[in-house]
Amino acid sequence: MLAQIQAPPTIYYIPEFISPEEEQRLMSSVYAAPKPKWTQLSNRRLQNWGGLPHPKGMVAEDIPQWLKTYIDKIGRLGIFGDCLPNHVLVNEYEAGQGIMPHEDGPLFYPVVSTISLGSHTFLDFYRPISEDNQDSTSFEERYLTSVLLQPRSLILVCDDMYKTYLHGIEERTTDNVTDKVVNLSQCEGTSIGETLSRKTRISLTIRHVSKTFKNKLIFGKR
Ligand SMILES: O=C(O)CCC(=O)C(=O)O
Ligand SMILES: [Fe+2]
């Protein structure tokens, strides 16, 4: 049912997961959030919905209906085992902004689902530093592959691609389409040799935080 792409296990890419109208509505809802909902970082801003993930557990907060619709839609894909997503991280990147290569780590069930709005980007994957080859440490050497995330698409990163490999977004305003883009066959109208200009992109990263608390009281007493 889901088209898996040619990369280490397992990445699924679904173009046009939402309609242009849904994309507009979601972007309007993100920008309608009260200003204090935004956390400004040096190279992007973000909103947490569902609570703040923490190693001791997340104090679960209600998620608004405009996001719940998509949590349910993704939940129905059956990729989160017995769980359902309970957290949405909204990231906003202006053209030229990105996120350093990282792992999402053990706070989450090892599946991440991301809807892209407003612009494409390249999500780049890197090998971890291996125990037997400590020399090869630069990200350039460890670079593996890129996935072109088109607006309105959904990407699912599971298994080793979640647990072992790192992912990041380079701070660039344009992206050159090369044969390193593994999902080109699913990106209609895009071909090798093209240069794509980034605009402001919003991503909805939808995950399951394993450890949660119902309210602040219980959390506060620990
Ligand atoms: O914006 C994205 O698509 C990736 C975000 C990400 O990797 C994260 O927030 O952990
Ligand atoms: Fe991440």
Side-chain angles (χ1 to χ4, degrees), residues 25 49 175 180 203 217:
R25 234 179 299 135
W49 294 97
D175 297 292
K180 282 298 209 181
S203 61
L217 254 180

Side-chain angles (χ1 to χ4, degrees), residues 10-73:
T10 309
I11 292 181
Y12 300 98
Y13 180 76
I14 300 140
E16 303 296 338
F17 180 69
I18 59 168
S19 69
E21 294 73 32
E22 290 178 289
E23 179 187 28
Q24 284 309 317
R25 234 179 299 135
L26 278 166
M27 288 173 72
S28 303
S29 301
V30 167
Y31 287 121
K35 214 163 173 233
K37 192 74 196 162
W38 286 103
T39 302
Q40 181 72 53
L41 305 182
S42 60
N43 56 354
R44 65 191 159 107
R45 17 175 226 168
L46 56 84
Q47 299 175 358
N48 272 283
W49 294 97
L52 271 183
H54 187 277
K56 284 190 179 163
M58 177 175 81
V59 179
E61 293 169 7
D62 285 341
I63 294 181
Q65 191 53 49
W66 59 271
L67 284 172
K68 241 176 159 287
T69 304
Y70 296 94
I71 286 191
D72 293 344
K73 192 171 171 185

Side-chain angles (χ1 to χ4, degrees), residues 89 91 93 99-100 102-105 112 114 123 162 167-168 205 207:
L89 179 67
N91 280 302
Y93 307 84
I99 185 168
M100 284 273 294
H102 65 278
E103 294 168 64
D104 285 3
V112 49
T114 301
L123 186 66
Y162 182 97
H167 58 275
T205 295
R207 291 177 283 206

